[in-house]
Amino acid sequence: MADLTEWGELQVDVTEVDRLKTTLFELVFPNTEERSAQDFLAKFPVAMPSTLSRRDLGLIRRKTYWVAEKSDGDRLLLLSLASGAYIIDAKLQFFKIDRSRFYLPRKQDISASQDKTLLDCLSVWNHTYQKFALMVIDVYAVEGQDVASQFFRSRIEAIRERVVVSIRAKYPTDVAAVKASPELPFVVQGKEYWTLDQMPIIFERITYHFDNNAHRFIYCFEKRHNENDGIIFVPDEKPLQPGLRDELKKWKWPEMTTVTFSMKIDVETRHDGRPPRTTFQAFLGGGVDGGLLPYREIYFRKPDGDRLLKDALAYHHVVSGSVDPLPYPYTLLVECFYDTKSGEWSYYRLRFDVHPTPFHQAMIQLEATAEKLTKDELMAGLNIRSKSRPSSNPATPLTPATPSLSLASNEKHSQANDDTSSPSPVNNAQTGGSNKRPVDEIYRGNSHVPANESKRARMEPAAASR
């Protein structure tokens, strides 16, 4: 996870934060009546996808959907005002970026900052730039104009024409130039979206890695080079609305289907002469007034438990500024996947950008684990030939393209890029010596996920898993 204090200054003045929150939610809910019905000063206003099931495949076939690779990153909002840009995290904390480092320029005058533009983004570690990328995935408003109510195609056009073009004119995209600009907090990339029958193109760009006893999937094309955990299905004829959206779907590699618990770590004193025992009590969201619901105690395997305690201690040292032992009880968000072979949850990583999974959504995730909808079954269920490409037109994604992001099969465009070198998928230095093969060659969706020793809390971009 990116350290947002390295990107901008955390705003702590209560009056200023309340003003920023009011502006934020006026852009998310431009309709006054709708805004008044929302508990809008307490919730992170982003659209969250629901898990794709076999029963949803008919809906996807019947409706107009766009597809994209599902990047493994942290959800953020970028709010641009005339005074500068703010990054907003899931805790509704505002980080003001120094204008000398980054602002969102106006198309008509790149020396001026856009006012009242709100972008829905993902922070992902980009292996080519060796830097975090802020990937724009959707848009609420551009310069005070409501865009969220428009169809998806129009929203992407707004990103392309009214946001990315100006960023391209202001900031470097060439790899060498970006690396020579340490003051730039991140690079901005537009998300590629494809028609449903072009989904095989996405899978062709994903490589499967098994290193340090862990499964990884890497998406790599041109300068898009990041961790992947599945596919996103976006309906074209729906507005952008915050909250869990049933029509917005996500398919994850069976190895990557996870649940985020609020985990209370404690130490149980035993009175029979045995040493104290560390306990992990899990809670899910969905309780009354946003409260938690008790799930059960998780019995991690020793390597998982040890790694969780190590990550929790590191996190405690960061947030407390001390080197003291972990104080008990200690509660934090823990992402886990269910290991069907051992019949128990396995630790994946700490989370800082989300809330505990609601109880009903956790049950859906467990259904997905039981279904184990593989890539081949997904393609067959959507009537897509595994290796087919559209024959009539070149494969051109719906994308807010920048010079650093070539279109899929436009050779002339690709050669005209400012950086003609195309990165190879994650090399041994980045993976610690991974066994890399094309996903079509090795992955069949029925692999067992062993104890995961390489997945870290991702508090540092230099970690091998980034």
Side-chain angles (χ1 to χ4, degrees):
M1 179 181 180
D3 182 355
L4 299 184
T5 60
E6 294 182 357
W7 293 7
E9 181 183 0
L10 176 64
Q11 303 300 287
V12 295
D13 181 84
V14 174
T15 302
E16 175 65 7
V17 170
D18 285 346
R19 182 185 71 83
L20 290 170
K21 283 184 177 180
T22 299
T23 301
L24 167 66
F25 285 95
E26 285 175 350
L27 296 176
V28 174
F29 302 107
N31 183 296
T32 304
E33 293 182 1
E34 184 180 18
R35 187 164 64 246
S36 64
Q38 303 290 329
D39 181 16
F40 60 85
L41 292 181
K43 297 177 182 178
F44 187 48
V46 296
M48 300 300 294
S50 56
T51 299
L52 181 74
S53 170
R54 283 185 173 86
R55 61 180 174 268
D56 300 315
L57 297 179
L59 170 70
I60 303 294
R61 289 194 305 266
R62 291 191 303 271
K63 301 291 185 178
T64 302
Y65 268 82
W66 296 95
V67 293
E69 67 94 12
K70 185 178 181 300
S71 307
D72 189 3
D74 299 310
R75 199 69 169 272
L76 300 170
L77 291 171
L78 174 63
L79 172 64
S80 178
L81 300 177
S83 57
Y86 296 82
I87 292 292
I88 308 167
D89 68 7
K91 297 178 182 178
L92 283 183
Q93 297 182 118
F94 291 76
F95 298 82
K96 185 174 184 179
I97 305 173
D98 191 295
R99 200 176 186 281
S100 65
R101 300 184 67 197
F102 177 86
Y103 63 91
L104 193 59
R106 299 191 69 208
K107 185 176 181 179
Q108 300 86 345
D109 178 8
I110 63 171
S111 66
S113 175
Q114 291 194 24
D115 188 33
K116 295 186 177 180
T117 294
L118 181 61
L119 304 176
D120 190 355
C121 305
L122 271 176
S123 164
V124 301
W125 180 252
N126 186 291
H127 294 289
T128 295
Y129 287 112
Q130 286 296 292
K131 195 182 193 76
F132 279 101
L134 199 63
M135 188 173 287
V136 183
I137 60 176
D138 216 325
V139 56
Y140 278 103
V142 177
E143 301 221 68
Q145 179 185 349
D146 170 38
V147 182
S149 60
Q150 300 177 17
F151 284 0
F152 184 67
R153 177 188 288 272
S154 298
R155 301 201 301 271
I156 292 300
E157 287 292 336
I159 295 174
R160 176 193 290 124
E161 299 300 328
R162 303 179 65 184
V163 175
V164 174
V165 168
S166 58
I167 290 176
R168 180 170 70 187
K170 175 68 179 177
Y171 297 105
T173 58
D174 175 78
V175 174
V178 169
K179 289 183 176 180
S181 306
E183 73 283 356
L184 198 63
F186 44 74
V187 293
V188 177
Q189 294 183 308
K191 190 74 168 175
E192 278 188 327
Y193 291 92
W194 304 80
T195 58
L196 198 61
D197 60 349
Q198 292 174 325
M199 192 164 62
I201 298 171
I202 299 174
F203 284 120
E204 289 169 10
R205 296 175 179 178
I206 297 173
T207 51
Y208 168 82
H209 300 250
F210 186 78
D211 61 274
N212 296 324
N213 212 29
H215 296 274
R216 292 173 62 201
F217 299 89
I218 307 295
Y219 181 85
C220 180
F221 178 71
E222 298 287 332
K223 298 184 183 75
R224 285 185 176 89
H225 195 183
N226 52 263
E227 307 278 334
N228 167 272
D229 61 5
I231 300 289
I232 285 287
F233 296 83
V234 185
D236 185 58
E237 299 177 358
K238 291 288 184 180
L240 175 59
Q241 296 176 312
L244 184 65
R245 313 310 304 176
D246 188 57
E247 67 276 4
L248 179 64
K249 296 295 182 182
K250 64 180 177 181
W251 171 85
K252 299 182 75 171
W253 301 101
E255 288 86 345
M256 299 293 189
T257 301
T258 59
V259 168
T260 299
F261 295 107
S262 175
M263 191 76 70
K264 184 173 77 172
I265 306 173
D266 208 346
V267 173
E268 177 185 82
T269 301
R270 297 189 283 195
H271 303 286
D272 55 3
R274 291 183 296 169
R277 182 178 73 92
T278 303
T279 61
F280 303 93
Q281 181 64 47
F283 297 83
L284 291 165
V288 177
D289 295 328
L292 298 176
L293 297 171
Y295 176 57
R296 66 172 174 85
E297 182 178 349
I298 304 296
Y299 298 96
F300 289 115
R301 291 166 297 192
K302 190 176 188 306
D304 277 354
D306 290 346
R307 188 163 54 86
L308 171 52
L309 290 173
K310 181 180 178 180
D311 289 348
L313 181 61
Y315 172 71
H316 170 65
H317 289 168
V318 169
V319 297
S320 68
S322 73
V323 292
D324 296 334
L326 195 67
Y328 296 107
Y330 197 81
T331 301
L332 69 175
L333 294 176
V334 178
E335 187 174 4
C336 302
F337 59 85
Y338 192 78
D339 184 347
T340 56
K341 296 292 180 66
S342 68
E344 187 52 282
W345 294 92
S346 291
Y347 170 53
Y348 179 22
R349 59 180 173 179
L350 300 183
R351 291 301 298 261
F352 314 99
D353 63 319
V354 296
H355 298 288
T357 303
F359 195 92
H360 74 280
Q361 188 65 23
M363 296 305 101
I364 293 174
Q365 296 293 78
L366 285 175
E367 287 178 6
T369 300
E371 272 195 351
K372 214 163 196 178
L373 180 61
T374 67
K375 177 186 77 72
D376 292 339
E377 291 171 327
L378 174 67
M379 302 278 277
L382 296 175
N383 297 331
I384 300 172
R385 293 179 59 191
S386 182
K387 290 292 184 180
S388 67
R389 289 197 182 193
S391 56
S392 57
N393 297 311
T396 303
L398 181 68
T399 173
T402 73
S404 66
L405 305 173
S406 297
L407 301 183
S409 63
N410 189 334
E411 296 297 334
K412 292 181 181 179
H413 180 90
S414 179
Q415 292 170 6
N417 266 342
D418 51 12
D419 178 21
T420 57
S421 62
S422 181
S424 61
V426 183
N427 60 33
N428 286 349
Q430 293 162 327
T431 64
S434 71
N435 176 16
K436 170 178 68 69
R437 294 172 63 185
V439 70
D440 271 339
E441 228 176 79
I442 190 168
Y443 178 72
R444 291 296 178 268
N446 53 7
S447 305
H448 165 56
V449 181
N452 182 340
E453 295 296 331
S454 73
K455 295 293 184 181
R456 303 182 186 278
R458 300 192 180 190
M459 290 181 284
E460 299 179 357
S465 63
R466 303 302 294 175

